Amino acid sequence: MGDQHEKQQIQPRADPGNVPAQSGACGSCALNATSTALDRQAGALGISPANPVPTDKRIYRLPVFTEQFCQALVDELENFEQSDMPKGRPNTMNNYGVLLNELGMDEPFLTPLRERLLPITALLYPELGGACLDSHKAFVVKYSLHEDLDLSSHYDNAEVTLNVSLGKEFTEGNLYFGDFNQDPSPVPKYIEVEHVVSRGLLHRGGQIHGALPIGSGERWNLIVWMRSSAVRNQLCPMCHRKPQLVEAEGFGDGFTEPQVQEELPQPVSATLG
Ligand SMILES: O=C(O)CCC(=O)C(=O)O
Ligand SMILES: [Fe+2]
């Protein structure tokens, strides 16, 4: 079962290209203390905040693949791109890239990857169903000088997003992050985050973000929009309403139908004759 939404494109409320990377330090000591405690626990799992200066944005960096694996995956995707097999667009905003379910990669590769991340997402994003991310949409996006150069500001159709840099070689093209969409501030603070090949970034799907233009080369990223049916069945994260379900294939948009209650035996009144 699913719903028609994908990425929600938004007008940047400040031109991220012109906004220098900000410290993003939170003014509240309590929040800083909480995020520092969380950062320490995450550090014990090999995960570090993506920004060297503490922020309230909850963006984390972690090792995901080897560089050799990233290279092999990109080679394979280039073969697929050059083939005449039918291909869809990765999503409503990126024009170039590959939908990984079209390559049959969901079951053998992406579901185990999502499940492997559960202890981490449970720790980092408990209120977003981080402990029960039960489906995903996964794709690779590609940027190059004569194709897409950048990606405008948006939030994802995901509770939690994993974004892994696969290479190849490129200059510039940093990611930028603004507010959480459900918690906008009057003057949003943007931070820039550099991607490192073979590393992943974890962020809330609702964290407004985009990618700055690359200066040269090709930039390929694996994006996994991870979804929690327990959370989104209550409220669609894209339109913030109770979801109206329509039939969909595969994981759809990650909504599930309520289980049909097993029919309970009806009480019967017996009359003695
Ligand atoms: O290009 C990137 O690194 C970001 C892609 C992204 O945000 C998305 O596809 O949802
Ligand atoms: Fe995104």
Side-chain angles (χ1 to χ4, degrees), residues 93-136:
M93 285 172 65
N94 290 89
N95 294 301
Y96 299 92
V98 179
L99 274 166
L100 295 181
N101 66 340
E102 291 186 343
L103 289 175
M105 290 175 92
D106 269 344
E107 213 184 300
F109 175 48
L110 293 152
T111 295
L113 175 63
R114 167 168 50 78
E115 289 175 352
R116 189 88 189 259
L117 291 173
L118 283 177
I120 296 169
T121 50
L123 174 73
L124 299 177
Y125 309 107
E127 81 291 6
L128 292 171
C132 48
L133 296 168
D134 51 359
S135 72
H136 59 261

Side-chain angles (χ1 to χ4, degrees), residues 63-98:
V64 181
F65 304 130
T66 62
E67 286 189 36
Q68 290 85 336
F69 177 84
C70 294
Q71 173 71 57
L73 182 57
V74 170
D75 288 350
E76 201 51 44
L77 296 174
E78 280 187 315
N79 287 337
F80 177 68
E81 249 195 338
Q82 281 151 24
S83 76
D84 17 323
M85 291 173 76
K87 309 171 186 87
R89 260 177 82 179
N91 59 61
T92 50
M93 285 172 65
N94 290 89
N95 294 301
Y96 299 92
V98 179

Side-chain angles (χ1 to χ4, degrees), residues 7 91 93-94 139 151-152 154-157 161 163 175 177 203 205 207 209-210 223 225:
K7 280 179 195 175
N91 59 61
M93 285 172 65
N94 290 89
F139 48 90
L151 185 64
S152 37
H154 66 277
Y155 53 90
D156 299 336
N157 186 346
T161 297
N163 177 336
L175 284 157
F177 290 89
H203 63 84
Q207 194 84 41
H209 60 283
I223 310 291
W225 288 350

